[in-house]
Amino acid sequence: MELQNATPEQLTQWEQALASEYEQHCQQNMRLDLTRGKPSSEQLSLADALDGILKGNYTSANGIDARNYGGLEGLAEARQLGADILGLEMEQVLALGNSSLSLMFLAMSVAYHHGFNGPESAWKNQPVTKFICPVPGYDRHYGVCETLGIEMITVAMTETGPDMEAIEALLACDPTIKGLWCVPKYSNPTGTVYSDATVERIAKLGLIAGEGFRVFWDNAYAVHDLSTTPKSLAPIMAYCQQHNTIDSVIQFASTSKITHAGAGVAFIGMSADNIRAFNKVWSASSIGPDKVNQLRHMRLLPNYEALLQHMQKHAQIIKPRFQCVLEHLENAFATNDLGQWESADGGYFISFHTRKGLAKDVVALAAQAGVKLTPAGATFPYGRDPEDSNIRIAPTVPTVEDVDAAMKVFVTCVKLASVRQALKANAQ
Ligand code: PLP
């Protein structure tokens, strides 16, 4: 089905056939959901041994009673695990609460209200603060900026990471741009792994940006590989050291999609000066993290090797779901001009692009047929996808059978919306 070369008669015939296919889907009263970027219950069960694992032994590797207050920076062994995930030294990492997003919010608040280099450096001192957001991206990052009144500027994602030329040009002429969001491995939602060259260019941004610039390096999917030969991500801090920009990058990760989501351990990694500034605010808000939970995690996943083995079990569960989505997309759209997608080797999403102006229609059609998709626009700041074409598909929660059923509907909706758009264009 190649819309460009279709005659009006062909389009009408396709529309009728697809409308009847769509009607059949609607009559099945399905209730399927491809919106949730969270682990399935089978994945969560992989970590159920956390419950009761301490068996009365609350002492950490270096003799700390995890039940008591204190240890603001987290247990040493948990910090080491975070350091291994982020490619840092233990001293550069804090192991804190249950959510990396909270740490991003806190770090952003430190920069905005207090300043990482003293009160004069607080972003709020300038009339406007701007942040660069590669798109499509993660809606909750946008939420952090919006909550603090930070203006968002978009740049496109490419196959090697965000459009670096655009970012460098923006930073060179606007010192009010104070940061950049990055999900460097298996980007949410495109699945992109930043190339080494991109990582190095990001490490050098501190040399051209205005004072107080920080890259928020959200490595949420650092160990979430689906392939046994995953692409590796270059360690950004090594480049920062080389270019003398170690304060310009703040890194994040968590065990949310490794053990129990929202009940894990989150990590923040950064230079010693950044840690000092962060701790001033963090220590005002807490007497210490949940070290008992950190200890539970360390008994389940005592080292990085154990963690990687654990992640292979995750991959075995979710890989067939991703494969199912990709097979449907391949069969339906590989040889026509109705849609494009990025196929991920890890992470939690597949990013699909309809023809311009159709994402909202597709999401609405699918909803009517009982398949819930992430709202169109959610992957862009302020919920506005200027091309109305990106749809984020999250296949981890439904079973393979449900993914299969949902994708049949999805494919029909994309085709139907596309043919109707072409018919409308012909009629004008
Ligand atoms: N960062 C990214 C890119 C995510 O996709 C998610 C969750 O989906 C999070 C952070 C949230 O992580 P946490 O549960 O550690 O707050």
Side-chain angles (χ1 to χ4, degrees), residues 37 98-102 104 138 141 183 188 218 220-221 253-254 256-257 262 266 349:
N98 68 320
S99 156
S100 60
L101 187 68
S102 310
M104 293 172 222
Y138 179 38
H141 287 165
V183 182
N188 175 349
D218 176 5
Y221 301 104
S254 82
S256 271
K257 283 178 227 74
F349 304 103

Side-chain angles (χ1 to χ4, degrees), residues 185-206:
K185 192 166 167 190
Y186 307 132
S187 262
N188 175 349
T190 59
T192 313
V193 180
Y194 292 11
S195 69
D196 293 4
T198 297
V199 175
E200 180 163 17
R201 281 171 86 169
I202 293 174
K204 287 165 77 176
L205 293 178

Side-chain angles (χ1 to χ4, degrees), residues 54-127:
L54 295 181
K55 298 192 174 67
N57 178 357
Y58 295 96
T59 310
S60 79
N62 50 7
I64 287 169
D65 183 345
R67 295 170 300 180
N68 220 332
Y69 275 140
L72 194 71
E73 302 190 332
L75 292 180
E77 55 264 53
R79 294 174 71 188
Q80 183 58 56
L81 188 68
D84 292 338
I85 294 172
L86 291 172
L88 293 172
E89 298 299 323
M90 191 263 267
E91 294 73 22
Q92 297 173 303
V93 175
L94 310 180
L96 302 182
N98 68 320
S99 156
S100 60
L101 187 68
S102 310
L103 296 182
M104 293 172 222
F105 192 90
L106 185 56
M108 188 83 84
S109 306
V110 171
Y112 189 82
H113 291 290
H114 310 278
F116 270 96
N117 305 102
E120 292 82 50
S121 70
W123 296 343
K124 68 169 185 197
N125 292 337
Q126 53 182 37

